[in-house]
Amino acid sequence: MKVLVLAIDRDNDFGVKAGVKGPVIGRDKCLDAAIKLSLADPEDSDANTLFAAIKLYDELKESKEFKDVEVALITGHHNVGVRSDIELSRQLDEVLKIFPADGVIPVTDGAEDEQIFPLITSKVPIVSTRRVVVKQSPGIETTWYIIVRYLKEIMNDPEASKVVLGIPGLIVLLYGIAKLISLKYPPSAQIVSSAVTGVVMLIVGGYFFIKGMKIRPLELISRGFITFIGVITGLIVILGGAINVYLTLETISTKMIGGIPSSDLIALLIYLNAVNPYFILGFGIILAGKTIQGYLRKNPHIWYYTSGILMLPAFWKVIDLITKYSNPLIKRNPGDIVLGIVLILLNIGISILAGIKLREKVKSWTFSS
């Protein structure tokens, strides 16, 4: 079996730094090339690669394990990529014409050179491989190659660059602006810092929430503008109501139980009862937006949203009764509870019947979103 020990220099350091033109075939010529590169740049690992290939050649020659052995060096191009791989392929063909090997043993100094292994196997089988690592810095070239490769991928991928580069860049930009403002207006430093922190959290949290829930804002707006407006309006109503109730909780408590709540649990029950109308109103606006959008697009699921709107009074009454009945400081009238339950059941029944009736009418609608 004829074996070729092949040293690979994908980025052509031999040609750029030492003026060595590939391919280089034979022990003496390879040794001369390795010495030239070592003198030109003693820190270049490609010289060590070629020395290692020569050493392996000597060992195989001495062992007489194979019928014939030869050592060679092929060099690519300093612009690593398609151009360098084409040059390596051409030089390998030239080497195989002079020494028609039955197998090859590639000798490399890292993962970058190993990228051409499929190219080699398309011409001659690989019987073994040898990687040369400088003892003082094991794995550095491979690690550096991986880092550079992923950085290139991130730069070329718009979605990845938004997360890895865009969000951190925006955060640094906002904090830089805040720092400049606080230098000009020292008394406002804490306010500016809090404002920037809030904006950063809002942007980052919003982005990850949208990605995590797989929400597509542009698609949502373009395909369901009315639904989008309804959702935004409803959320604003709920948020505004929640803040208003929180700020006026003492006044509400005084009207409801005649004083300030004696425990956090009582305060929570009062808060839930007071925020209930805002929540129902906001949810109703969201469902109304969906209903209008469904009607305009002839969505047969409109009966579902309509039933939801009709059922909101029952939902409101359920929360109202539970929060009041669970609060021991509120006087409970059994008659009011019974009447509330009757109204809830009546409202649910009407909503279901109206939904069934509407569903029959919209069966013929074709859904398009």
Side-chain angles (χ1 to χ4, degrees):
M1 183 179 185
K2 301 174 70 174
V3 173
L4 174 66
V5 179
L6 186 66
I8 303 167
D9 175 21
R10 196 180 184 199
D11 54 1
N12 194 25
D13 284 340
F14 278 93
V16 174
K17 297 177 181 180
V20 176
K21 186 178 180 181
V24 180
I25 306 171
R27 185 185 188 282
D28 294 337
K29 291 181 179 179
C30 286
L31 183 60
D32 182 60
I35 293 172
K36 285 182 179 178
L37 182 59
S38 296
L39 293 174
D41 184 1
E43 296 180 356
D44 197 308
S45 60
D46 286 308
N48 293 308
T49 301
L50 189 50
F51 280 126
I54 295 169
K55 181 175 184 295
L56 178 60
Y57 165 82
D58 291 340
E59 291 173 353
L60 294 177
K61 271 285 189 183
E62 186 179 351
S63 67
K64 298 180 180 180
E65 186 176 348
F66 299 105
K67 180 181 177 182
D68 195 6
V69 182
E70 186 59 277
V71 61
L73 164 70
I74 57 175
T75 58
H77 194 272
H78 64 274
N79 290 328
V80 175
V82 176
R83 187 171 179 181
S84 65
D85 292 347
I86 291 174
E87 178 62 20
L88 289 169
S89 178
R90 184 193 68 79
Q91 292 187 20
L92 180 57
D93 288 336
E94 190 175 334
V95 172
L96 292 175
K97 284 181 182 179
I98 298 172
F99 183 78
D102 301 314
V104 64
I105 302 177
V107 181
T108 70
D109 62 352
E112 185 175 29
D113 293 333
E114 293 172 6
Q115 295 297 306
I116 72 158
F117 279 7
L119 184 150
I120 296 172
T121 55
S122 67
K123 301 175 185 297
V124 60
I126 293 177
V127 297
S128 181
T129 60
R130 178 71 62 89
R131 177 186 286 193
V132 179
V133 178
V134 180
K135 292 182 179 180
Q136 290 82 356
S137 54
I140 287 180
E141 181 169 348
T142 300
T143 304
W144 174 250
Y145 171 73
I146 292 172
I147 292 172
V148 171
R149 186 183 68 183
Y150 280 107
L151 283 175
K152 287 181 180 178
E153 289 182 3
I154 288 169
M155 295 295 290
N156 294 327
D157 187 345
E159 284 297 320
S161 63
K162 286 178 185 177
V163 178
V164 179
L165 302 177
I167 292 180
L170 180 61
I171 292 173
V172 173
L173 178 64
L174 288 173
Y175 273 108
I177 294 171
K179 192 69 176 177
L180 293 174
I181 293 174
S182 62
L183 286 175
K184 187 170 180 61
Y185 305 101
S188 65
Q190 186 173 358
I191 298 173
V192 172
S193 177
S194 299
V196 170
T197 302
V199 171
V200 168
M201 293 179 67
L202 184 66
I203 293 172
V204 176
Y207 179 84
F208 285 114
F209 175 77
I210 289 172
K211 287 295 181 182
M213 300 299 292
K214 301 188 183 303
I215 299 172
R216 298 179 179 176
L218 295 177
E219 184 178 336
L220 181 64
I221 293 172
S222 62
R223 293 191 176 184
F225 183 73
I226 297 176
T227 300
F228 176 76
I229 295 299
V231 170
I232 295 298
T233 306
L235 291 176
I236 290 174
V237 169
I238 294 172
L239 181 61
I243 294 173
N244 179 62
V245 171
Y246 178 80
L247 296 176
T248 60
L249 187 59
E250 290 187 7
T251 304
I252 296 171
S253 300
T254 302
K255 291 180 180 179
M256 188 174 290
I257 62 175
I260 298 174
S262 57
S263 67
D264 292 338
L265 182 58
I266 299 297
L268 177 62
L269 291 172
I270 295 171
Y271 179 83
L272 292 175
N273 185 270
V275 84
N276 184 25
Y278 295 100
F279 175 75
I280 297 299
L281 177 60
F283 198 55
I285 293 172
I286 293 173
L287 289 177
K290 282 183 169 290
T291 303
I292 296 171
Q293 186 75 51
Y295 177 77
L296 294 176
R297 289 188 170 274
K298 299 297 182 182
N299 183 350
H301 293 157
I302 189 175
W303 69 269
Y304 180 80
Y305 306 133
T306 306
S307 298
I309 293 175
L310 295 175
M311 207 175 290
L312 285 177
F315 193 26
W316 168 80
K317 194 63 180 176
V318 168
I319 296 175
D320 184 67
L321 286 177
I322 291 174
T323 52
K324 286 183 178 178
Y325 184 79
S326 302
N327 194 334
L329 301 180
I330 296 177
K331 294 181 180 179
R332 299 181 291 272
N333 188 340
D336 291 340
I337 297 174
V338 173
L339 179 61
I341 293 173
V342 171
L343 291 174
I344 290 169
L345 294 175
L346 184 63
N347 180 250
I348 292 174
I350 293 172
S351 302
I352 293 173
L353 291 174
I356 293 172
K357 197 74 175 175
L358 184 60
R359 185 174 61 177
E360 294 296 323
K361 287 189 175 183
V362 300
K363 267 186 176 180
S364 60
W365 286 7
T366 56
F367 176 65
S368 62
S369 58

mmCIF file with all atom_site columns, all heavy atoms in Angstrom, residues 182-197:
data_model
loop_
_atom_site.group_PDB
_atom_site.id
_atom_site.type_symbol
_atom_site.label_atom_id
_atom_site.label_alt_id
_atom_site.label_comp_id
_atom_site.label_asym_id
_atom_site.label_entity_id
_atom_site.label_seq_id
_atom_site.pdbx_PDB_ins_code
_atom_site.Cartn_x
_atom_site.Cartn_y
_atom_site.Cartn_z
_atom_site.occupancy
_atom_site.B_iso_or_equiv
_atom_site.pdbx_formal_charge
_atom_site.auth_seq_id
_atom_site.auth_comp_id
_atom_site.auth_asym_id
_atom_site.auth_atom_id
_atom_site.pdbx_PDB_model_num
ATOM 1   N N   . SER A 1 182 ? -27.185 62.547 33.147 1.00 0.00 ? 182 SER A N   1
ATOM 2   C CA  . SER A 1 182 ? -26.956 62.691 34.595 1.00 0.00 ? 182 SER A CA  1
ATOM 3   C C   . SER A 1 182 ? -25.735 63.563 34.883 1.00 0.00 ? 182 SER A C   1
ATOM 4   O O   . SER A 1 182 ? -25.654 64.204 35.932 1.00 0.00 ? 182 SER A O   1
ATOM 5   C CB  . SER A 1 182 ? -26.779 61.309 35.227 1.00 0.00 ? 182 SER A CB  1
ATOM 6   O OG  . SER A 1 182 ? -25.653 60.651 34.700 1.00 0.00 ? 182 SER A OG  1
ATOM 7   N N   . LEU A 1 183 ? -24.766 63.604 33.940 1.00 0.00 ? 183 LEU A N   1
ATOM 8   C CA  . LEU A 1 183 ? -23.610 64.477 34.137 1.00 0.00 ? 183 LEU A CA  1
ATOM 9   C C   . LEU A 1 183 ? -24.000 65.949 34.001 1.00 0.00 ? 183 LEU A C   1
ATOM 10  O O   . LEU A 1 183 ? -23.507 66.806 34.738 1.00 0.00 ? 183 LEU A O   1
ATOM 11  C CB  . LEU A 1 183 ? -22.521 64.140 33.097 1.00 0.00 ? 183 LEU A CB  1
ATOM 12  C CG  . LEU A 1 183 ? -21.734 62.840 33.325 1.00 0.00 ? 183 LEU A CG  1
ATOM 13  C CD1 . LEU A 1 183 ? -20.798 62.583 32.156 1.00 0.00 ? 183 LEU A CD1 1
ATOM 14  C CD2 . LEU A 1 183 ? -20.940 62.898 34.627 1.00 0.00 ? 183 LEU A CD2 1
ATOM 15  N N   . LYS A 1 184 ? -24.930 66.233 33.096 1.00 0.00 ? 184 LYS A N   1
ATOM 16  C CA  . LYS A 1 184 ? -25.352 67.621 32.884 1.00 0.00 ? 184 LYS A CA  1
ATOM 17  C C   . LYS A 1 184 ? -26.349 68.059 33.948 1.00 0.00 ? 184 LYS A C   1
ATOM 18  O O   . LYS A 1 184 ? -26.379 69.219 34.355 1.00 0.00 ? 184 LYS A O   1
ATOM 19  C CB  . LYS A 1 184 ? -25.968 67.763 31.488 1.00 0.00 ? 184 LYS A CB  1
ATOM 20  C CG  . LYS A 1 184 ? -26.273 69.212 31.106 1.00 0.00 ? 184 LYS A CG  1
ATOM 21  C CD  . LYS A 1 184 ? -26.640 69.324 29.647 1.00 0.00 ? 184 LYS A CD  1
ATOM 22  C CE  . LYS A 1 184 ? -26.942 70.776 29.254 1.00 0.00 ? 184 LYS A CE  1
ATOM 23  N NZ  . LYS A 1 184 ? -25.782 71.657 29.451 1.00 0.00 ? 184 LYS A NZ  1
ATOM 24  N N   . TYR A 1 185 ? -27.177 67.116 34.388 1.00 0.00 ? 185 TYR A N   1
ATOM 25  C CA  . TYR A 1 185 ? -28.180 67.437 35.411 1.00 0.00 ? 185 TYR A CA  1
ATOM 26  C C   . TYR A 1 185 ? -28.022 66.458 36.579 1.00 0.00 ? 185 TYR A C   1
ATOM 27  O O   . TYR A 1 185 ? -28.780 65.487 36.690 1.00 0.00 ? 185 TYR A O   1
ATOM 28  C CB  . TYR A 1 185 ? -29.589 67.337 34.827 1.00 0.00 ? 185 TYR A CB  1
ATOM 29  C CG  . TYR A 1 185 ? -29.801 68.189 33.602 1.00 0.00 ? 185 TYR A CG  1
ATOM 30  C CD1 . TYR A 1 185 ? -29.780 67.626 32.323 1.00 0.00 ? 185 TYR A CD1 1
ATOM 31  C CD2 . TYR A 1 185 ? -30.007 69.564 33.716 1.00 0.00 ? 185 TYR A CD2 1
ATOM 32  C CE1 . TYR A 1 185 ? -29.970 68.404 31.193 1.00 0.00 ? 185 TYR A CE1 1
ATOM 33  C CE2 . TYR A 1 185 ? -30.202 70.354 32.588 1.00 0.00 ? 185 TYR A CE2 1
ATOM 34  C CZ  . TYR A 1 185 ? -30.179 69.762 31.326 1.00 0.00 ? 185 TYR A CZ  1
ATOM 35  O OH  . TYR A 1 185 ? -30.363 70.545 30.218 1.00 0.00 ? 185 TYR A OH  1
ATOM 36  N N   . PRO A 1 186 ? -27.055 66.671 37.461 1.00 0.00 ? 186 PRO A N   1
ATOM 37  C CA  . PRO A 1 186 ? -26.769 65.733 38.561 1.00 0.00 ? 186 PRO A CA  1
ATOM 38  C C   . PRO A 1 186 ? -27.976 65.400 39.432 1.00 0.00 ? 186 PRO A C   1
ATOM 39  O O   . PRO A 1 186 ? -28.131 64.241 39.831 1.00 0.00 ? 186 PRO A O   1
ATOM 40  C CB  . PRO A 1 186 ? -25.680 66.464 39.362 1.00 0.00 ? 186 PRO A CB  1
ATOM 41  C CG  . PRO A 1 186 ? -25.037 67.375 38.378 1.00 0.00 ? 186 PRO A CG  1
ATOM 42  C CD  . PRO A 1 186 ? -26.119 67.814 37.442 1.00 0.00 ? 186 PRO A CD  1
ATOM 43  N N   . PRO A 1 187 ? -28.873 66.365 39.764 1.00 0.00 ? 187 PRO A N   1
ATOM 44  C CA  . PRO A 1 187 ? -30.013 66.024 40.623 1.00 0.00 ? 187 PRO A CA  1
ATOM 45  C C   . PRO A 1 187 ? -30.949 64.984 40.012 1.00 0.00 ? 187 PRO A C   1
ATOM 46  O O   . PRO A 1 187 ? -31.681 64.304 40.721 1.00 0.00 ? 187 PRO A O   1
ATOM 47  C CB  . PRO A 1 187 ? -30.733 67.374 40.804 1.00 0.00 ? 187 PRO A CB  1
ATOM 48  C CG  . PRO A 1 187 ? -29.705 68.400 40.523 1.00 0.00 ? 187 PRO A CG  1
ATOM 49  C CD  . PRO A 1 187 ? -28.830 67.806 39.475 1.00 0.00 ? 187 PRO A CD  1
ATOM 50  N N   . SER A 1 188 ? -30.935 64.889 38.686 1.00 0.00 ? 188 SER A N   1
ATOM 51  C CA  . SER A 1 188 ? -31.866 63.967 38.026 1.00 0.00 ? 188 SER A CA  1
ATOM 52  C C   . SER A 1 188 ? -31.257 62.587 37.787 1.00 0.00 ? 188 SER A C   1
ATOM 53  O O   . SER A 1 188 ? -31.851 61.769 37.088 1.00 0.00 ? 188 SER A O   1
ATOM 54  C CB  . SER A 1 188 ? -32.305 64.550 36.676 1.00 0.00 ? 188 SER A CB  1
ATOM 55  O OG  . SER A 1 188 ? -31.195 64.632 35.802 1.00 0.00 ? 188 SER A OG  1
ATOM 56  N N   . ALA A 1 189 ? -30.077 62.332 38.336 1.00 0.00 ? 189 ALA A N   1
ATOM 57  C CA  . ALA A 1 189 ? -29.363 61.074 38.053 1.00 0.00 ? 189 ALA A CA  1
ATOM 58  C C   . ALA A 1 189 ? -30.197 59.848 38.411 1.00 0.00 ? 189 ALA A C   1
ATOM 59  O O   . ALA A 1 189 ? -30.302 58.901 37.632 1.00 0.00 ? 189 ALA A O   1
ATOM 60  C CB  . ALA A 1 189 ? -28.038 61.048 38.801 1.00 0.00 ? 189 ALA A CB  1
ATOM 61  N N   . GLN A 1 190 ? -30.822 59.867 39.587 1.00 0.00 ? 190 GLN A N   1
ATOM 62  C CA  . GLN A 1 190 ? -31.581 58.698 40.017 1.00 0.00 ? 190 GLN A CA  1
ATOM 63  C C   . GLN A 1 190 ? -32.828 58.503 39.156 1.00 0.00 ? 190 GLN A C   1
ATOM 64  O O   . GLN A 1 190 ? -33.177 57.374 38.788 1.00 0.00 ? 190 GLN A O   1
ATOM 65  C CB  . GLN A 1 190 ? -31.994 58.861 41.489 1.00 0.00 ? 190 GLN A CB  1
ATOM 66  C CG  . GLN A 1 190 ? -32.667 57.613 42.061 1.00 0.00 ? 190 GLN A CG  1
ATOM 67  C CD  . GLN A 1 190 ? -32.903 57.741 43.557 1.00 0.00 ? 190 GLN A CD  1
ATOM 68  O OE1 . GLN A 1 190 ? -32.527 58.734 44.160 1.00 0.00 ? 190 GLN A OE1 1
ATOM 69  N NE2 . GLN A 1 190 ? -33.535 56.742 44.139 1.00 0.00 ? 190 GLN A NE2 1
ATOM 70  N N   . ILE A 1 191 ? -33.495 59.617 38.801 1.00 0.00 ? 191 ILE A N   1
ATOM 71  C CA  . ILE A 1 191 ? -34.696 59.521 37.976 1.00 0.00 ? 191 ILE A CA  1
ATOM 72  C C   . ILE A 1 191 ? -34.347 58.977 36.594 1.00 0.00 ? 191 ILE A C   1
ATOM 73  O O   . ILE A 1 191 ? -35.008 58.081 36.060 1.00 0.00 ? 191 ILE A O   1
ATOM 74  C CB  . ILE A 1 191 ? -35.378 60.905 37.849 1.00 0.00 ? 191 ILE A CB  1
ATOM 75  C CG1 . ILE A 1 191 ? -35.828 61.397 39.215 1.00 0.00 ? 191 ILE A CG1 1
ATOM 76  C CG2 . ILE A 1 191 ? -36.547 60.842 36.880 1.00 0.00 ? 191 ILE A CG2 1
ATOM 77  C CD1 . ILE A 1 191 ? -36.366 62.813 39.216 1.00 0.00 ? 191 ILE A CD1 1
ATOM 78  N N   . VAL A 1 192 ? -33.274 59.527 36.018 1.00 0.00 ? 192 VAL A N   1
ATOM 79  C CA  . VAL A 1 192 ? -32.849 59.088 34.687 1.00 0.00 ? 192 VAL A CA  1
ATOM 80  C C   . VAL A 1 192 ? -32.449 57.616 34.706 1.00 0.00 ? 192 VAL A C   1
ATOM 81  O O   . VAL A 1 192 ? -32.818 56.841 33.829 1.00 0.00 ? 192 VAL A O   1
ATOM 82  C CB  . VAL A 1 192 ? -31.674 59.950 34.178 1.00 0.00 ? 192 VAL A CB  1
ATOM 83  C CG1 . VAL A 1 192 ? -31.101 59.365 32.881 1.00 0.00 ? 192 VAL A CG1 1
ATOM 84  C CG2 . VAL A 1 192 ? -32.122 61.381 33.942 1.00 0.00 ? 192 VAL A CG2 1
ATOM 85  N N   . SER A 1 193 ? -31.709 57.224 35.740 1.00 0.00 ? 193 SER A N   1
ATOM 86  C CA  . SER A 1 193 ? -31.276 55.825 35.856 1.00 0.00 ? 193 SER A CA  1
ATOM 87  C C   . SER A 1 193 ? -32.473 54.886 35.964 1.00 0.00 ? 193 SER A C   1
ATOM 88  O O   . SER A 1 193 ? -32.515 53.840 35.308 1.00 0.00 ? 193 SER A O   1
ATOM 89  C CB  . SER A 1 193 ? -30.368 55.663 37.081 1.00 0.00 ? 193 SER A CB  1
ATOM 90  O OG  . SER A 1 193 ? -29.995 54.314 37.233 1.00 0.00 ? 193 SER A OG  1
ATOM 91  N N   . SER A 1 194 ? -33.456 55.258 36.777 1.00 0.00 ? 194 SER A N   1
ATOM 92  C CA  . SER A 1 194 ? -34.659 54.423 36.933 1.00 0.00 ? 194 SER A CA  1
ATOM 93  C C   . SER A 1 194 ? -35.444 54.347 35.632 1.00 0.00 ? 194 SER A C   1
ATOM 94  O O   . SER A 1 194 ? -35.950 53.284 35.253 1.00 0.00 ? 194 SER A O   1
ATOM 95  C CB  . SER A 1 194 ? -35.547 54.995 38.041 1.00 0.00 ? 194 SER A CB  1
ATOM 96  O OG  . SER A 1 194 ? -34.868 55.008 39.268 1.00 0.00 ? 194 SER A OG  1
ATOM 97  N N   . ALA A 1 195 ? -35.537 55.498 34.939 1.00 0.00 ? 195 ALA A N   1
ATOM 98  C CA  . ALA A 1 195 ? -36.274 55.527 33.678 1.00 0.00 ? 195 ALA A CA  1
ATOM 99  C C   . ALA A 1 195 ? -35.615 54.634 32.633 1.00 0.00 ? 195 ALA A C   1
ATOM 100 O O   . ALA A 1 195 ? -36.278 53.863 31.931 1.00 0.00 ? 195 ALA A O   1
ATOM 101 C CB  . ALA A 1 195 ? -36.371 56.959 33.157 1.00 0.00 ? 195 ALA A CB  1
ATOM 102 N N   . VAL A 1 196 ? -34.296 54.728 32.534 1.00 0.00 ? 196 VAL A N   1
ATOM 103 C CA  . VAL A 1 196 ? -33.568 53.910 31.556 1.00 0.00 ? 196 VAL A CA  1
ATOM 104 C C   . VAL A 1 196 ? -33.679 52.427 31.904 1.00 0.00 ? 196 VAL A C   1
ATOM 105 O O   . VAL A 1 196 ? -33.883 51.583 31.028 1.00 0.00 ? 196 VAL A O   1
ATOM 106 C CB  . VAL A 1 196 ? -32.083 54.338 31.486 1.00 0.00 ? 196 VAL A CB  1
ATOM 107 C CG1 . VAL A 1 196 ? -31.282 53.347 30.657 1.00 0.00 ? 196 VAL A CG1 1
ATOM 108 C CG2 . VAL A 1 196 ? -31.970 55.724 30.873 1.00 0.00 ? 196 VAL A CG2 1
ATOM 109 N N   . THR A 1 197 ? -33.556 52.111 33.197 1.00 0.00 ? 197 THR A N   1
ATOM 110 C CA  . THR A 1 197 ? -33.700 50.712 33.625 1.00 0.00 ? 197 THR A CA  1
ATOM 111 C C   . THR A 1 197 ? -35.077 50.182 33.252 1.00 0.00 ? 197 THR A C   1
ATOM 112 O O   . THR A 1 197 ? -35.219 49.056 32.763 1.00 0.00 ? 197 THR A O   1
ATOM 113 C CB  . THR A 1 197 ? -33.487 50.595 35.141 1.00 0.00 ? 197 THR A CB  1
ATOM 114 O OG1 . THR A 1 197 ? -32.186 51.090 35.483 1.00 0.00 ? 197 THR A OG1 1
ATOM 115 C CG2 . THR A 1 197 ? -33.593 49.143 35.590 1.00 0.00 ? 197 THR A CG2 1
#
